[in-house]
Amino acid sequence: MAARGGCCLWRVLAPHRGWFIPGLDRRLAAASAVVSAAPPVRLYAAAAKPANKSSKKTKQEETKKKQVPRRRPLMTKPVDDVYLTWHYERPSYEVEKAVGMLKKFQELDFTYPKQFVYINVFLDMALQKKKKVEPFTSTVLIPHRFSDQTNKVLVFTENEQEAEIARENGAAVVGGVELIKWILEDEIQVDSYVAVPEIMPKLIPLRGKLKRKYPNTKRNSLGHDIPKMLQFYRDGLEYAVQDECVIKTRIARLDMPTEQIIANLKTVINDICTFKPLTYGPFVQRLVIRSSTSEGLLLHLDGLLPQVEKVEEKEEDAEGDEEKRVLESAST
C-alpha cells in the first residue's frame, strides 16, 4: 500500500514539480526506492523448532531423582508391645521357637489341630556370569510321613517276573509298549513313572510328553531295583520350583512332635541344596514356615543349610586316607 501511495503522489505532482520545492524529484525517487526495498510482510507464523528430546529426558530424570523421598532406616526390635510393623525389620526366629509359635497360634485360634505345615523357600538361582540354575522338580523321601495317601506310580517293563514284583509292591499301572498310546491320549494319569533299562529305547515317543517325569537315573526312576524305586516314589514328597526362584511345599502336620517337623524340614532343605554347588554361595536366601491358618514366620538359616567348610574337611580327610593307603601299599 505504501508503494502505491508513492506512485500516485508522483503522478499528481509530476507536471508541476518545478513550482514547489526544488529537488523534489530526487526526494520522491529516493522515497519510492526505500519503500520498494522494504521486506514483504509475513501473513503466517514461523515454524517452531523441534525440542531436543534428550534434554527433556534428562530433565525428567533429574526431577524424578529429586522427588524420591528418603526412607528412614528400619529399626531392629520394637520396645513396646504395640508398634507399626513397617517401621521395623521383619523378625526371624529359630526353627524350634517358630514351630512352637505355630502350635500356640492353633490353640488360641481354635483351628483344626491336624492342619498341614508349609514352607516357602526363596532361592538364589545365579551362577557364574549370566548362567542360572534351571528350574527343577525333585522327590525326597522324608523320615516321618504325615499323610495316609500314597502317590500313583507306573512301571514300564516287559518281563513278567518284574511285572509281578511291581504289582506286589504297590504299582498302580504295570505294562510295556502298549501303554504309550494311552499315555499320549491322557487316558492314564499317574504321579510318577519308573522303568527298567531294557525298555528305554522303546519309550522315546514319551520324552516330550513326560518331560521331567521321564525315567532317569539321576532321579532314581530308572533301574532294576523295582521295590526300592516304588517305595521312593510312592512315599516320597515331590516339590518343584515356581516363579523361577520359589519352592512352596508342605512338610508335616501341626500335631506331629516338634522334632519330627524339624527333621522333615532339614531333609527337604538338604535335598534342595544339592541342585547348586556350595562353592557358589548359599542356595537358600530366605525360608518361611507357616501352617494352613497362620501367618508366615521367617526362620534363621543358621544350622539349617549345609556348610562349605564341612565338605572341604571331608574331602581333605578322604585325600589323607588315600595317601595313607598309597604309602602303606608302597611300604609292603
Side-chain angles (χ1 to χ4, degrees), residues 80-101:
D80 301 325
D81 294 335
V82 180
Y83 58 93
L84 298 175
T85 56
W86 54 85
H87 287 173
Y88 296 87
E89 294 179 358
R90 185 176 182 180
S92 58
Y93 307 94
E94 299 291 340
V95 62
E96 293 84 1
K97 184 178 180 180
V99 174
M101 291 175 66

Side-chain angles (χ1 to χ4, degrees), residues 3 16 19-20 30 92 126 151 161 196 224 251 299 303 307 328 330:
H16 308 283
W19 300 352
F20 298 99
S92 58
N151 300 321
Q161 295 181 353
V196 294
H224 289 97
I251 58 169
L299 296 180
Q307 302 295 325
E328 289 177 358

Side-chain angles (χ1 to χ4, degrees), residues 72 119 140 144 206 313 321:
R72 294 191 308 173
I119 58 172
V140 59
H144 305 285
L206 292 176
E313 289 177 0
D321 294 338

Side-chain angles (χ1 to χ4, degrees), residues 192-212:
S192 303
Y193 302 83
V194 299
V196 294
E198 290 78 10
I199 200 174
M200 287 304 296
K202 300 178 182 179
L203 301 181
I204 294 177
L206 292 176
R207 184 183 293 275
K209 178 70 174 179
L210 301 183
K211 296 180 181 178
R212 295 175 183 173

Side-chain angles (χ1 to χ4, degrees), residues 268-304:
V268 175
I269 294 299
N270 288 333
D271 187 73
I272 292 173
C273 291
T274 58
F275 287 88
K276 182 178 178 179
L278 297 176
T279 53
Y280 291 106
F283 193 21
V284 179
Q285 289 184 325
R286 285 187 298 147
L287 179 59
V288 177
I289 189 170
R290 66 176 181 86
S291 64
S292 301
T293 58
S294 74
E295 61 177 309
L297 301 176
L298 185 64
L299 296 180
H300 283 308
L301 297 179
D302 297 337
L304 295 177

Side-chain angles (χ1 to χ4, degrees), residues 114-158:
K114 294 185 178 182
Q115 58 187 290
F116 291 115
V117 178
Y118 298 84
I119 58 172
N120 295 348
V121 189
F122 298 87
L123 306 175
D124 180 13
M125 307 290 280
L127 293 172
Q128 284 183 345
K129 297 180 180 179
K130 296 183 180 180
K131 295 182 179 179
K132 292 184 179 181
V133 179
E134 294 295 331
F136 54 87
T137 303
S138 180
T139 303
V140 59
L141 195 61
I142 55 178
H144 305 285
R145 293 194 60 196
F146 57 88
S147 177
D148 297 330
Q149 298 179 354
T150 56
N151 300 321
K152 295 181 180 180
V153 184
L154 184 148
V155 179
F156 287 109
T157 181
E158 293 180 333

